Amino acid sequence: MAERRGGAAEGLARLSEWADAHLGLVRSLSAGVAVAGLLVLARSVRMTTKFTNALDVPAGFIQKNVKLRGKVHRVTEKGLEVEHIPISVPFITSIQRKWQSEGLLLVRLAGVELTPEGTEWIQRELKPSQVIWFQLLGREHLALECLVIVNKGRFSSVCLNEEVLREGLGRAASIEGLQHDSHLFWELHKRLLRAELKALRKNKGIWKEESFSERLRARMSSSNFMQTLKRFVSWLRSKV
């Protein structure tokens, strides 16, 4: 036992001598470790920060198309009002809770021109306090342009942007915030157009073709058509 202690002491002494001889290197390494530690801490703080306003989201997050998690509170004609759920790190999160403010992010379906029926459909489809993932693609004023991912069971999920277009409840539009010459822009645009084409082929939603009887009823409900019909009936009566 004494021999082990002696060996350990000798080892520590040699390490101390090496450190004294290479003091500058040790200081440099310590500084590097400290800087690296600060960078890791800074990243952790950003990832654990609860964003309550679109302007709070760092530009770097949008440029890197980061995915965030959130809980849907309301669905309006302006978009989804979402409470951001940040990554939880016990020590950092407990400190941040003391000064984080409350607020909801306005999330819009990127690349989708939503119809009023589309808004109503989303309101029915999303459960109360539904947890979603939203991938940042751009920011316009106080709204975030995103791909919205909804879990449909334990092992499956759907992209809400594509699902709305497949139902014929919107039209594919330009994806705001992405560079038009980027691979991601064309990949997502292709996916959205493919979803829209499915609705068009199946005559769903806004792509549904009216039958002859539907067109006739629409014409008959027109005030101009009714006025013409009344004049025609009056003319017939005058000839009898």
Side-chain angles (χ1 to χ4, degrees):
M1 191 71 174
E3 291 179 358
R4 289 185 181 178
R5 290 178 181 174
E10 184 179 352
L12 288 173
R14 289 179 179 178
L15 181 60
S16 178
E17 290 174 3
W18 183 91
D20 289 339
H22 302 83
L23 188 58
L25 178 60
V26 171
R27 286 175 176 171
S28 298
L29 287 173
S30 299
V33 170
V35 170
L38 288 174
L39 289 174
V40 170
L41 180 61
R43 293 193 189 101
S44 299
V45 170
R46 288 183 115 184
M47 293 302 294
T48 58
T49 298
K50 183 177 182 178
F51 303 127
T52 58
N53 188 293
L55 297 178
D56 295 337
V57 179
F61 278 34
I62 297 174
Q63 292 168 1
K64 295 178 181 178
N65 307 126
V66 171
K67 284 184 181 179
L68 301 177
R69 194 162 64 110
K71 182 168 60 177
V72 178
H73 280 239
R74 285 180 294 276
V75 179
T76 71
E77 66 279 359
K78 294 181 180 180
L80 282 62
E81 295 182 4
V82 178
E83 178 187 355
H84 174 221
I85 304 174
I87 295 174
S88 179
V89 178
F91 174 71
I92 298 176
T93 304
S94 62
I95 296 174
Q96 288 178 323
R97 282 176 182 167
K98 297 178 180 179
W99 51 265
Q100 282 180 341
S101 59
E102 296 297 325
L104 301 175
L105 298 175
L106 179 60
V107 173
R108 291 201 299 231
L109 302 184
V112 177
E113 184 183 327
L114 200 62
T115 64
E117 293 78 13
T119 301
E120 294 173 1
W121 181 84
I122 294 174
Q123 290 171 340
R124 293 193 302 270
E125 284 294 305
L126 294 182
K127 301 174 183 177
S129 300
Q130 175 84 53
V131 175
I132 62 170
W133 287 91
F134 51 104
Q135 184 176 9
L136 303 170
L137 299 180
R139 175 169 47 203
E140 187 176 6
H141 304 302
L142 295 177
L144 297 169
E145 300 287 336
C146 304
L147 282 183
V148 177
I149 311 299
V150 181
N151 289 331
K152 291 288 185 180
R154 188 174 180 181
F155 300 107
S156 63
S157 61
V158 296
C159 174
L160 198 60
N161 308 55
E162 295 177 76
E163 197 71 8
V164 165
L165 294 176
R166 275 194 289 265
E167 294 295 326
L169 300 173
R171 292 180 173 84
S174 178
I175 303 174
E176 301 297 332
L178 287 181
Q179 295 294 328
H180 289 191
D181 57 352
S182 68
H183 173 75
L184 182 59
F185 175 87
W186 289 109
E187 178 63 28
L188 294 179
H189 200 56
K190 182 173 66 176
R191 284 169 50 185
L192 296 178
L193 288 175
R194 190 183 295 128
E196 185 180 75
L197 184 58
K198 287 184 178 180
L200 181 60
R201 287 174 175 171
K202 294 181 179 180
N203 295 325
K204 299 181 73 173
I206 59 175
W207 309 111
K208 182 180 179 181
E209 293 182 357
E210 292 180 338
S211 65
F212 175 76
S213 59
E214 288 173 333
R215 290 196 298 270
L216 181 61
R217 282 198 296 270
R219 288 284 302 277
M220 289 183 68
S221 63
S222 168
S223 58
N224 291 335
F225 180 81
M226 293 301 295
Q227 291 298 325
T228 302
L229 183 60
K230 287 178 182 179
R231 288 196 296 269
F232 178 71
V233 171
S234 298
W235 178 81
L236 282 178
R237 287 175 178 173
S238 65
K239 295 298 182 181
V240 175

